[in-house]
Amino acid sequence: MKKKQQRHQKHRKYLAMKVELVNGQPKWFRISPKFFQIIITEQRLRKIHPRKMLTNCLINIPLTTYSRHNQAVIGVGRVIKMEYRAHTDTRLCVRGQFTPPEKLKKEFFLTYHYLRHDYGKLSKINIMFDLYFWRRKVRKENLTNHFF
């Protein structure tokens, strides 16, 4: 019975997103079940494919593994793409806070206050510096998201 159960788990796939970190490296993150339900609901309402929905949006991501107290250092990354991937490929889940790049151009501090959420001081400082980096990149490369 265990072998059959393990085989089933190997083939199970989850919606994941490829996120560009501030250092330019891409990294895969799994989407949590609650966030997945929100994405699917938006897909049905707006009639858009979830793979394109969050492209170029900025999203909170864990930069470290979670500690015993269920805390990690949080940063901000840019969504490159979304696709279904095996669970074993992606262990860390993205956080639920995201914003389109246009909002960062126009309302930097409102975006910061939204993304900083209720994280610790180190994460808040990290989010602030990451947003400064992304604001420069969004302006330079004219990154947009057409759905939000």
Side-chain angles (χ1 to χ4, degrees):
M1 181 68 176
K2 281 191 176 186
K3 283 188 178 184
K4 189 176 184 180
Q5 197 174 26
Q6 286 175 346
R7 193 174 347 126
H8 177 68
Q9 286 179 343
K10 284 183 184 179
H11 297 291
R12 189 170 183 184
K13 294 192 176 189
Y14 294 86
L15 189 60
M17 61 177 56
K18 189 175 187 178
V19 177
E20 179 185 359
L21 305 177
V22 173
N23 63 10
Q25 291 181 332
K27 189 171 182 180
W28 285 98
F29 291 91
R30 200 179 75 166
I31 295 175
S32 67
K34 286 183 181 178
F35 195 33
F36 176 76
Q37 289 301 320
I38 293 168
I39 289 171
I40 296 304
T41 303
E42 283 292 316
Q43 173 199 7
R44 290 180 185 144
L45 290 174
R46 296 178 185 229
K47 307 283 191 252
I48 57 176
H49 199 283
R51 289 184 181 172
K52 296 179 180 179
M53 187 184 302
L54 294 176
T55 304
N56 287 330
C57 284
L58 303 169
I59 191 162
N60 281 354
I61 52 172
L63 298 175
T64 61
T65 56
Y66 285 89
S67 68
R68 289 184 297 168
H69 306 291
N70 203 21
Q71 292 182 346
V73 176
I74 304 297
V76 179
R78 180 181 68 93
V79 177
I80 298 171
K81 68 178 180 176
M82 294 171 51
E83 66 182 39
Y84 286 94
R85 295 180 57 94
H87 174 63
T88 55
D89 291 348
T90 52
R91 290 197 176 119
L92 291 174
C93 288
V94 294
R95 306 299 297 171
Q97 299 85 14
F98 67 91
T99 184
E102 295 85 3
K103 183 132 179 151
L104 183 62
K105 284 188 218 176
K106 296 175 186 171
E107 301 170 337
F108 179 83
F109 286 105
L110 285 175
T111 303
Y112 167 70
H113 286 287
Y114 170 67
L115 290 178
R116 75 177 185 165
H117 196 53
D118 58 352
Y119 300 120
K121 286 182 182 180
L122 181 59
S123 291
K124 288 179 182 179
I125 292 168
N126 203 37
I127 289 169
M128 175 69 86
F129 283 111
D130 286 358
L131 285 177
Y132 275 119
F133 170 83
W134 288 117
R135 182 172 68 172
R136 282 193 2 243
K137 188 162 184 165
V138 163
R139 287 178 175 170
K140 184 179 176 184
E141 297 181 13
N142 199 23
L143 300 174
T144 58
N145 175 282
H146 302 289
F147 300 111
F148 292 101

